[in-house]
Amino acid sequence: APNFKFIISWKGKRFNSCIHDIWMRGVRLHFIKVDLRLQLIQCPIKAIYKFIQLREFIAFYFDFFFPIFRTLDWHFFDFGSVWAGRVANPFWAPNKVQTVFDADLAFEGLAFKWEPKWSTSNAFFNLGAFIISENYSAGRDQVDAGLFGYQLGYALKGEDWSWISHFSNHYFLNVKNQLITNAEKSAKVDPYSYPFDRYRGNTVFVDDPALPADQRKYYFSNPYIILGFGSEIKKRVGPVEVLGFFEFNRNDAIRAQNAAHEIGSSIRWRVLQISASSILKQTDSVFAAFTDSDTNGGGTDNAGYRYSIFLQPAKNVTLALHRFIAKRGVDTVPRDFSGTHCDFSVSF
């Protein structure tokens, strides 16, 4: 059955007939396409904005007419892939660290992967462009935030060892001077950072400090252009697998409080894995709304350690226990933090 969640009002009146709604959408889509062609000649930047506006209509048609093919998955040659729609995170990270992207994030947009392979090695080039605004409401949206990123990597494999490294660059578009509620609908400043203004650790500013607290609007102070370099190496010794990894990130758009890293190691024996890592996220090192929401209490402006135990009784079942010991508010109001997090996941 078709999904009607994209039905909207037209000139203040809601059409109960889905046929009318599709027809009106088709007319509006046609005019936007014509305008897009004109803008490509007159102003390419404005044309890109018009193209972003098409996403609601494209999503509607896929959702209504092609419920099975909501995500384009196209493979070419032996090592190229293109995905469009709702896709998994296309960017590789050592030991699946979540410094830049939380594992729970849903990516919607376009992803490209080029992965030539040889006998004992392979390279990879990942490219992605996504809409990340959570507060999208058709023509009333205040900002079209987006993400553009690319990644280069190389991997080597031996009989009992492997090594992978990567370099990445992620541009978080149209964030500076935009409302924090465009990243999260219910976003509020961090009360524990007073007298500094922070949102999940990121630096923000208020439009009018004289207004009552419940009427103030807060905006992001900085842009986010995140460089990343990371590597992991695995070595098997009998039934034991040892892994070491690191990931360094830097916000290349600012000069201070712009560094993040995660460095750690793990030992795996059969269904049991134990790991430990050191984690630092300076105030504006990464975009706090999309970094891991659990590590060191979530967000940025923190530094500490994570100790984990994983139990995997079956290939599709994992039980994980994480212990965090950290300092939060390193650049604002320092305080101790400790917490325990348990995960149980089953995949089908």
Side-chain angles (χ1 to χ4, degrees):
N3 190 330
F4 291 90
K5 67 178 179 180
F6 286 99
I7 292 179
I8 60 172
S9 298
W10 181 266
K11 295 182 179 179
K13 297 179 181 179
R14 181 176 294 276
F15 286 96
N16 293 323
S17 170
C18 188
I19 296 176
H20 285 149
D21 189 67
I22 294 172
W23 183 81
M24 295 302 282
R25 285 173 179 272
V27 171
R28 190 176 175 190
L29 179 61
H30 172 74
F31 281 112
I32 290 180
K33 283 183 176 179
V34 172
D35 185 50
L36 178 62
R37 294 191 188 102
L38 295 175
Q39 293 295 344
L40 280 171
I41 299 173
Q42 298 172 4
C43 180
I45 295 177
K46 194 171 181 180
I48 293 173
Y49 176 78
K50 289 291 183 181
F51 177 75
I52 291 174
Q53 287 184 319
L54 291 176
R55 71 185 186 271
E56 178 197 0
F57 304 102
I58 294 172
F60 172 80
Y61 283 110
F62 270 94
D63 202 46
F64 189 86
F65 293 109
F66 307 103
I68 298 176
F69 306 103
R70 291 183 186 177
T71 300
L72 169 67
D73 189 350
W74 175 46
H75 301 274
F76 55 95
F77 301 117
D78 293 328
F79 38 77
S81 301
V82 175
W83 301 276
R86 302 170 189 174
V87 302
N89 184 353
F91 302 111
W92 178 84
N95 199 41
K96 299 181 179 180
V97 299
Q98 302 175 48
T99 311
V100 179
F101 300 116
D102 193 307
D104 296 332
L105 283 179
F107 285 74
E108 294 190 84
L110 180 67
F112 170 85
K113 187 179 186 71
W114 184 262
E115 191 176 17
K117 297 181 180 181
W118 301 281
S119 57
T120 60
S121 66
N122 69 276
F124 56 90
F125 173 63
N126 297 325
L127 182 71
F130 306 97
I131 298 298
I132 61 172
S133 174
E134 187 186 348
N135 199 28
Y136 180 67
S137 55
R140 298 182 298 277
D141 199 17
Q142 295 175 330
V143 62
D144 284 300
L147 164 69
F148 171 76
Y150 65 87
Q151 180 180 60
L152 297 169
Y154 186 72
L156 281 172
K157 278 189 176 183
E159 291 184 1
D160 57 0
W161 63 274
S162 66
W163 168 76
I164 309 176
S165 288
H166 84 101
F167 169 79
S168 63
N169 196 352
H170 297 102
Y171 294 79
F172 290 83
L173 307 176
N174 207 12
V175 172
K176 183 180 179 180
N177 297 328
Q178 302 300 334
L179 287 166
I180 62 174
T181 51
N182 286 308
E184 182 184 9
K185 292 179 182 178
S186 58
K188 296 180 180 179
V189 291
D190 305 330
Y192 53 77
S193 297
Y194 182 82
F196 305 96
D197 290 326
R198 298 286 189 269
Y199 160 65
R200 293 197 178 190
N202 284 165
T203 307
V204 299
F205 65 92
V206 63
D207 59 345
D208 187 354
L211 288 173
D214 60 344
Q215 296 180 24
R216 297 173 189 171
K217 294 182 179 180
Y218 291 88
Y219 301 81
F220 289 106
S221 299
N222 295 309
Y224 294 86
I225 302 175
I226 312 301
L227 301 178
F229 173 67
S231 184
E232 73 171 35
I233 183 166
K234 292 180 182 179
K235 173 68 176 177
R236 181 171 290 278
V237 181
V240 178
E241 181 183 83
V242 181
L243 179 145
F245 67 91
F246 67 83
E247 173 76 7
F248 293 101
N249 297 101
R250 187 185 75 187
N251 184 356
D252 204 41
I254 58 175
R255 295 185 178 182
Q257 290 295 311
N258 65 347
H261 72 243
E262 181 166 349
I263 305 170
S265 62
S266 71
I267 298 176
R268 183 185 183 94
W269 177 70
R270 296 184 179 178
V271 299
L272 179 67
Q273 181 179 352
I274 301 173
S275 71
S277 57
S278 171
I279 303 169
L280 167 70
K281 296 179 186 178
Q282 291 184 334
T283 303
D284 292 299
S285 56
V286 294
F287 193 41
F290 297 99
T291 189
D292 182 25
S293 58
D294 300 316
T295 298
N296 295 345
T300 63
D301 195 18
N302 57 65
Y305 301 91
R306 177 177 61 208
Y307 305 96
S308 303
I309 299 176
F310 301 87
L311 186 64
Q312 191 173 21
K315 288 185 177 180
N316 65 331
V317 178
T318 303
L319 178 64
L321 185 67
H322 306 281
R323 178 65 177 171
F324 298 99
I325 301 175
K327 287 277 188 182
R328 289 182 60 80
V330 176
D331 188 49
T332 52
V333 183
R335 62 204 181 281
D336 293 329
F337 171 85
S338 62
T340 302
H341 187 234
C342 184
D343 286 323
F344 178 72
S345 61
V346 180
S347 58
F348 298 96

